[in-house]
Amino acid sequence: MAAHQCSISVTPEVELQMGLGLPVTGKALKYGIACGLGVDVVSATSGSLFDQMKVALQAERAIQNERLYQSGSMPEKLTIHDSDILKVATIGGAKTLGLDRTTGSLEVGKQADLILIDIKNISLSPSINPVSSVVLYANENHVDTVMIAGKILKRQGKLLDANLENLIERAHRSIERILKERR
């Protein structure tokens, strides 16, 4: 796959839960395959990429540690780090979609897509390592500001210009219709 510049999207939580095999995050990184992080089957697993980052990191560490345990060894050092997973969730995802020239990292000339995390929240304080805080502890409730293509869509934890009541009502009507059609 690496020789042919292929990419993959790993959906760690659903892969583990639905018996689809172990996530291949570590193998992709080891062999230089562009790897992004995704969410699948949100009716059965979390739709949060924060959760997917945690699961991806923990699953890969478990896979690597199990190999060591089976050989009678104990892990001496980490071989996959939270920074590896953050890259999978950001620039890795952009690469898998062919968008890495416009988004996925903070660089001059790229689209201004930002998520600002409130590290003053008690569950993230004190934040000694911001990357670890994002990958291991943060969740969507910690997102203070969201900017997409330079436009602020969320500020101080509140969505701007979003009619949430309308969206929720539409979601309820949709599920009612779907359930009615299933009967």
Side-chain angles (χ1 to χ4, degrees), residues 5-121:
Q5 299 179 343
C6 294
S7 62
I8 60 169
S9 179
V10 177
T11 56
E13 189 175 15
V14 79
E15 290 166 22
L16 290 168
Q17 180 170 317
M18 298 185 88
L20 302 174
L22 296 172
V24 296
T25 315
K27 287 181 181 178
L29 294 174
K30 179 180 177 180
Y31 294 106
I33 299 167
C35 179
L37 195 59
V39 174
D40 193 6
V41 192
V42 294
S43 59
T45 63
S46 171
S48 168
L49 276 177
F50 291 106
D51 290 343
Q52 302 309 315
M53 285 190 287
K54 289 179 200 67
V55 172
L57 180 64
Q58 293 166 351
E60 186 55 35
R61 285 182 176 169
I63 291 166
Q64 293 179 12
N65 290 340
E66 182 61 22
R67 286 186 200 125
L68 289 170
Y69 297 146
Q70 292 300 323
S71 71
S73 301
M74 290 292 292
E76 298 289 329
K77 64 179 184 171
L78 298 173
T79 56
I80 188 163
H81 303 276
D82 44 19
S83 59
D84 298 321
I85 296 300
L86 186 60
K87 287 176 187 170
V88 167
T90 54
I91 190 65
K95 283 181 182 177
T96 63
L97 295 170
L99 298 173
D100 53 311
R101 291 191 176 149
T102 57
T103 192
S105 61
L106 297 175
E107 296 179 46
V108 173
K110 286 191 173 184
Q111 186 170 295
D113 294 341
L114 303 169
I115 296 174
L116 304 179
I117 307 294
D118 178 9
I119 61 168
K120 293 179 185 170
N121 186 293

Side-chain angles (χ1 to χ4, degrees), residues 111-166:
Q111 186 170 295
D113 294 341
L114 303 169
I115 296 174
L116 304 179
I117 307 294
D118 178 9
I119 61 168
K120 293 179 185 170
N121 186 293
I122 189 66
S123 60
L124 294 180
S125 291
S127 179
I128 298 168
N129 180 331
V131 172
S132 292
S133 293
V134 169
V135 174
L136 296 172
Y137 311 115
N139 63 51
E140 55 278 359
N141 296 320
H142 297 116
V143 176
D144 178 83
T145 303
V146 175
M147 181 187 298
I148 305 296
K151 181 179 180 188
I152 296 177
L153 302 177
K154 183 176 186 179
R155 180 181 284 140
Q156 296 178 335
K158 306 277 189 239
L159 290 174
L160 306 178
D161 300 325
N163 186 340
L164 292 180
E165 289 177 16
N166 184 356

